[in-house]
Amino acid sequence: RVSSVLNKDVKQYGKQFMFDTKEETSWSSDEGTPQWIIITLDEPENIHGFSFQFQGGFAGQESNILMYSADGAEIHQEPFYPEDINSPQTFQIQDTVREKACSKIKFLFQTSTDLFGRIIVYDLQLLS
């Protein structure tokens, strides 16, 4: 799930494009803050890190990852600091959490490098 889609045009800017590994497609949020991405995993996993590829000028700022167990309890929250660049960026989860299996992950972007609060993600990968 995502907080919004640009002009509600899911066929062109939907969440599915964060995971299709195509360079020409992306999820584009609509205006406003905060923006968020929620990933629900089929089976609990130990997540060691994640990577994002934003469009420069539309990157998240004041960003947090929140991780939840199968029963919905929050097991971890950690800030991360994306750069305002087009290149993929990899972030590692704190060592103390790597052995805790999570079932749901939320990426929360309190602000964006875009004046209107839009986020554009070309690629999102979980590292386990």
Side-chain angles (χ1 to χ4, degrees), residues 21-26 122:
T21 66
K22 294 181 183 173
E23 292 182 10
E24 64 274 2
T25 61
S26 64
Y122 283 94

Side-chain angles (χ1 to χ4, degrees), residues 34-35 37 52 54 60-63 80 107-111 119:
Q35 298 290 343
I37 300 165
F52 271 100
F54 294 99
Q61 289 184 311
E62 295 182 47
S63 305
F80 65 101
F107 295 99
L108 180 62
F109 307 102
Q110 294 290 352
T111 60
I119 305 279

Side-chain angles (χ1 to χ4, degrees), residues 1-10 12-15 18 26-37 57-60 109-121:
R1 294 182 22 207
V2 292
S3 51
S4 66
V5 175
L6 183 63
N7 301 325
K8 298 183 181 171
D9 187 352
V10 295
Q12 190 168 358
Y13 304 113
K15 62 188 174 197
M18 287 186 284
S26 64
W27 165 62
S28 298
S29 78
D30 218 337
E31 296 179 4
T33 55
Q35 298 290 343
W36 49 261
I37 300 165
F58 298 89
F109 307 102
Q110 294 290 352
T111 60
S112 166
T113 57
D114 174 57
L115 181 64
F116 299 102
R118 295 170 293 189
I119 305 279
I120 298 177
V121 177

Side-chain angles (χ1 to χ4, degrees), residues 15-121:
K15 62 188 174 197
Q16 68 274 17
F17 297 120
M18 287 186 284
F19 307 103
D20 69 359
T21 66
K22 294 181 183 173
E23 292 182 10
E24 64 274 2
T25 61
S26 64
W27 165 62
S28 298
S29 78
D30 218 337
E31 296 179 4
T33 55
Q35 298 290 343
W36 49 261
I37 300 165
I38 295 176
I39 300 171
T40 303
L41 304 171
D42 293 333
E43 296 288 329
E45 289 185 43
N46 294 347
I47 303 298
H48 296 192
F50 54 94
S51 69
F52 271 100
Q53 184 174 2
F54 294 99
Q55 178 173 316
F58 298 89
Q61 289 184 311
E62 295 182 47
S63 305
N64 283 280
I65 180 173
L66 296 91
M67 301 167 72
Y68 300 89
S69 62
D71 65 3
E74 183 180 305
I75 56 174
H76 183 64
Q77 179 176 344
E78 179 178 335
F80 65 101
Y81 304 96
E83 294 180 62
D84 187 14
I85 58 174
N86 295 330
S87 303
Q89 303 174 61
T90 300
F91 303 91
Q92 297 298 318
I93 303 287
Q94 290 177 0
D95 289 342
T96 55
V97 183
R98 291 182 178 195
E99 300 309 315
K100 295 181 181 178
C102 69
S103 293
K104 183 170 79 171
I105 298 172
K106 180 176 184 178
F107 295 99
L108 180 62
F109 307 102
Q110 294 290 352
T111 60
S112 166
T113 57
D114 174 57
L115 181 64
F116 299 102
R118 295 170 293 189
I119 305 279
I120 298 177
V121 177

